[in-house]
């Protein structure tokens, strides 16, 4: 199984809502990542978890809150988002150098 | 600090023609180099990577890339493209010898448009 799954595929939320994005992998990878990607732009790293501990936070606003409940799961909790937060949110995992496996992403629209 | 420049934002090419997507990087330390592909409405998929050794790297789907240290380049090539190669291509670098969670620095991407 070389797949990273993400749910939901699409999400529309208001600025006062609280929602969560989920990511799951069963490849035994110990590093997991959240990226934000705007249209026609490269992915921007948000967070990195290594062995279930947050190792990199790229100065992401606190309205985004990551969580790694176990080695297979990664969540991104969303609260009080702004319209400019609308984007494709990608999850990835890796074990060996550079080979990050990406999920299909969640397309988020904030209204 | 590292940076990646993809010299072409769009590359139109006819089916079965060869293609080269250009990538230059800047770094004061040794780097690893990668090419990723993103098909419409999908995540990124690794095409190939250079860590060390032979400077000519072969990847999936018939793509290859050559690492040129003196020109700080890592151009991607395919001798004959198919319609299905239409996608966004990203070049990326990261610091060599760092931990597995080292940060990838992406270029701005090149849209490959294969025409029939």
């Amino acid at each position: 199984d070389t797949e990273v799954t993400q749910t939901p595929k699409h999400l529309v939320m208001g600025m006062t809502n609280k929602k969560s994005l989920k990511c799951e992998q069963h490849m035994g990878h110990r590093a997991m990542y959240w990226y934000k990607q705007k249209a026609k732009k490269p992915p921007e790293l948000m967070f990195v978890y290594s062995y279930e501990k947050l190792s990199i936070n790229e100065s992401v606003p606190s309205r985004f809150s990551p969580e790694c409940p176990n080695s297979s799961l990664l969540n991104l909790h969303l609260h009080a988002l702004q319209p400019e937060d609308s984007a494709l949110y990608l999850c990835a995992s890796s074990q060996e150098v550079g080979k990050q496996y990406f999920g299909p992403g969640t397309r988020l629209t904030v209204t | 600090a590292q940076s990646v420049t993809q010299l072409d934002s769009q590359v139109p090419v006819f089916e079965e023609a060869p293609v080269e997507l250009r990538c230059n990087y800047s770094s004061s330390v040794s780097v690893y180099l990668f090419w990723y592909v993103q098909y419409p409405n999908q995540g990124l998929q690794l095409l190939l990577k250079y860590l060390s050794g032979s400077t000519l790297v072969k990847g999936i789907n018939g793509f290859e890339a050559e690492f040129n240290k003196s020109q700080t380049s890592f151009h991607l090539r395919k001798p004959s493209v198919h319609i299905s190669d239409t996608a966004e291509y990203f070049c990326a670098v990261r610091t060599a010898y760092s931990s597995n969670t080292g940060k990838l620095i992406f270029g701005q991407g090149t849209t490959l448009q294969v025409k029939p």
Side-chain angles (χ1 to χ4, degrees):
Chain A
D1 183 4
T2 57
E3 191 179 16
V4 175
T5 58
Q6 290 187 244
T7 55
K9 290 190 71 172
H10 300 275
L11 178 62
V12 179
M13 61 185 288
M15 289 189 285
T16 59
N17 291 158
K18 283 186 180 182
K19 296 286 184 182
S20 296
L21 309 184
K22 296 186 185 302
C23 172
E24 190 166 2
Q25 57 90 12
H26 295 288
M27 295 177 278
H29 293 171
R30 304 315 298 264
M32 295 186 76
Y33 311 75
W34 279 116
Y35 289 86
K36 173 183 178 180
Q37 187 180 27
K38 292 285 224 180
K40 299 295 185 185
K41 295 291 185 184
E44 300 171 32
L45 184 65
M46 300 174 73
F47 303 103
V48 181
Y49 273 81
S50 178
Y51 291 88
E52 300 160 50
K53 292 193 185 327
L54 184 64
S55 64
I56 297 177
N57 177 341
E58 289 288 304
S59 303
V60 178
S62 59
R63 57 186 184 269
F64 295 92
S65 175
E67 178 197 19
C68 189
N70 60 56
S71 60
S72 299
L73 292 173
L74 186 66
N75 298 322
L76 186 63
H77 302 299
L78 315 172
H79 174 55
L81 295 192
Q82 304 297 310
E84 60 265 27
D85 296 322
S86 298
L88 181 68
Y89 288 84
L90 293 164
C91 174
S93 70
S94 70
Q95 188 69 7
E96 59 182 276
V97 170
K99 189 164 186 175
Q100 293 186 17
Y101 291 81
F102 283 80
T106 293
R107 190 160 299 282
L108 174 68
T109 303
V110 181
T111 61
Chain B
Q2 294 149 356
S3 66
V4 179
T5 302
Q6 291 183 240
L7 297 157
D8 306 293
S9 59
Q10 293 190 14
V11 173
V13 64
F14 286 105
E15 195 174 16
E16 297 183 7
V19 71
E20 178 180 81
L21 305 185
R22 297 180 293 167
C23 172
N24 286 90
Y25 69 93
S26 172
S27 176
S28 57
V29 298
S30 295
V31 295
Y32 298 141
L33 294 151
F34 311 88
W35 275 99
Y36 283 84
V37 60
Q38 186 174 29
Y39 299 104
N41 300 313
Q42 294 188 26
L44 278 69
Q45 181 182 7
L46 181 68
L47 276 176
L48 46 80
K49 62 182 178 182
Y50 173 79
L51 304 184
S52 65
S54 173
T55 57
L56 182 63
V57 180
K58 293 192 184 296
I60 63 171
N61 301 342
F63 284 94
E64 64 179 33
E66 185 156 20
F67 171 56
N68 188 318
K69 189 173 182 180
S70 63
Q71 297 187 8
T72 61
S73 68
F74 190 55
H75 300 334
L76 181 71
R77 300 187 185 98
K78 186 170 182 178
S80 176
V81 294
H82 302 288
I83 296 286
S84 58
D85 292 322
T86 295
E88 192 77 14
Y89 291 78
F90 292 100
C91 181
V93 302
R94 56 163 284 180
T95 302
Y97 315 119
S98 61
S99 73
N100 179 44
T101 53
K103 182 178 175 180
L104 279 174
I105 308 296
F106 287 94
Q108 290 299 303
T110 297
T111 303
L112 177 62
Q113 301 165 319
V114 181
K115 304 176 181 180

